[in-house]
Amino acid sequence: MKTVAVSSGLLLGATLLAGCTATAPSKVRVDMAESGLPNCQSFEWLPTEQQPATLTEQRVKSEVMSQLKEKGYAQAAEKGDCRVTYALDIHERPANKPGVGVGVGGGSGGVGGGIGVTLPIGKRSEQAGTFTIDIVDTAKNAQVWSGSLDASFLKSEPNEDETREIVARVLEEYPDREPK
């Protein structure tokens, strides 16, 4: 069995190179009405369409209402102070991109280097999109808050874990209810 020694400089260089290729997580974008947030104490769900609720809509509704409850708000069966809805715009983007790698190494008294090129084969892609939660003041019938996040998904619709994560990330920007 051979033992390979890696110098700390090479390890540091490889770590820095790998760090340059990582993408930072998307930031939540928030937009709010100039008049500020209404005194929402209870929320009701505003369906996105007149058709039957999709699995995604059911997941999003359940998660949004659960998160709002944790923030101190109540869910109204009818006539809530505010209504909640969402939008999800998903598109396909290629996941495989050509890449180039450069390496330098040494051992057994010699130094060597190499260049590698990767070419994508096949039609692998990922689903990406923008997820938005909107809050509507029922009394004014006007949107008063919107939070959105760019996200990637494993399939064409977010699964339960992905839904939980994106809803939590967006709603962490929505204020907790102040007790009266």
Side-chain angles (χ1 to χ4, degrees):
M1 183 167 157
K2 283 188 174 181
T3 305
V4 178
V6 178
S7 75
S8 60
L10 288 175
L11 190 56
L12 177 62
T15 303
L16 289 174
L17 195 60
C20 292
T21 60
T23 57
S26 180
K27 243 183 120 174
V28 175
R29 297 175 302 280
V30 173
D31 193 11
M32 191 168 58
E34 289 180 18
S35 61
L37 292 174
N39 187 19
C40 295
Q41 294 183 31
S42 62
F43 283 90
E44 66 178 295
W45 187 255
L46 179 65
T48 55
E49 297 179 11
Q50 295 299 328
Q51 299 175 0
T54 64
L55 292 173
T56 299
E57 182 174 352
Q58 292 173 58
R59 288 180 189 128
V60 170
K61 176 184 178 182
S62 174
E63 198 57 41
V64 165
M65 293 308 193
S66 173
Q67 294 280 331
L68 288 172
K69 186 175 180 181
E70 287 180 22
K71 289 179 152 297
Y73 298 97
Q75 181 176 352
E78 294 179 16
K79 307 277 183 181
D81 300 322
C82 291
R83 291 178 282 179
V84 184
T85 189
Y86 84 103
L88 179 59
D89 177 31
I90 296 181
H91 57 276
E92 192 173 293
R93 72 174 174 207
N96 293 342
K97 298 177 183 172
V100 177
V102 178
V104 178
S108 301
V111 175
I115 297 176
V117 176
T118 61
L119 297 173
I121 298 174
K123 293 181 96 178
R124 294 179 58 192
S125 63
E126 64 182 15
Q127 306 301 315
T130 302
F131 175 79
T132 304
I133 295 176
D134 294 319
I135 308 290
V136 176
D137 183 339
T138 305
K140 295 179 183 175
N141 196 26
Q143 181 181 5
V144 292
W145 189 89
S146 181
S148 61
L149 174 70
D150 294 329
S152 296
F153 307 104
L154 297 173
K155 296 186 178 182
S156 62
E157 298 278 329
N159 63 33
E160 287 182 41
D161 292 335
E162 292 168 331
T163 301
R164 188 175 303 111
E165 181 181 334
I166 59 176
V167 167
R169 291 223 15 233
V170 172
L171 286 181
E172 75 184 1
E173 299 296 324
Y174 193 77
D176 292 348
R177 180 170 172 240
E178 295 179 15
K180 285 195 167 189

